[in-house]
Amino acid sequence: MMPNTRIIVADGSFAITTAKRADTICFEDVSRVVVYKLDALTTDLICCDIITGSAGAEQVRTVHEEIYGFEALMLRLEKLPGFDRKWREKVILPPFAENRTIAFQRSSAAA
């Protein structure tokens, strides 16, 4: 991602913005959230894949903890029904392991 990438959280949506564009996503369109770590040699980078759309037409937006607004976005995502609020514990330990975790999966009945 570009160094000037920012995440702006609003009531019903969030936007991933760069100098050239803004990608706005409604929270109700989020079908799955996957969190994991990338080994950055001496540290780990917590990443989050936000998936929208249905099978065959999914879109994945990847954000990470070094992007301005990441914490605000994660706090808002945690309000989605059924979101695993213990995702941090599952992802952080053990260190330097990916620890890929599905923190949210929208049920087809709720879609």
Side-chain angles (χ1 to χ4, degrees):
M1 292 211 160
M2 304 290 284
N4 59 352
T5 301
R6 298 170 64 88
I7 301 167
I8 313 285
V9 179
D11 284 342
S13 64
F14 66 98
I16 302 169
T17 65
T18 65
K20 295 185 179 191
R21 64 179 289 230
D23 184 12
T24 302
I25 300 101
C26 291
F27 287 108
E28 65 188 32
D29 294 337
V30 175
S31 57
R32 193 166 65 246
V33 176
V34 181
V35 288
Y36 54 95
K37 286 188 316 226
L38 292 180
D39 181 353
L41 217 46
T42 58
T43 61
D44 284 329
L45 182 67
I46 296 176
C47 299
C48 178
D49 289 347
I50 301 164
I51 297 99
T52 58
S54 55
E58 288 183 339
Q59 284 192 303
V60 179
R61 282 106 169 164
T62 301
V63 294
H64 58 76
E65 65 183 330
E66 292 183 355
I67 297 174
Y68 175 87
F70 178 84
E71 284 301 319
L73 174 61
M74 295 309 293
L75 287 172
R76 177 56 184 84
L77 287 171
E78 286 178 3
K79 294 180 181 179
L80 292 172
F83 196 97
D84 184 354
R85 288 172 184 84
K86 295 187 178 196
W87 67 269
R88 285 184 199 277
E89 301 166 22
K90 294 176 179 178
V91 170
I92 290 173
L93 295 173
F96 304 108
E98 185 179 70
N99 301 327
R100 188 170 288 269
T101 301
I102 296 174
F104 175 76
Q105 177 84 46
R106 190 175 300 277
S107 67
S108 55

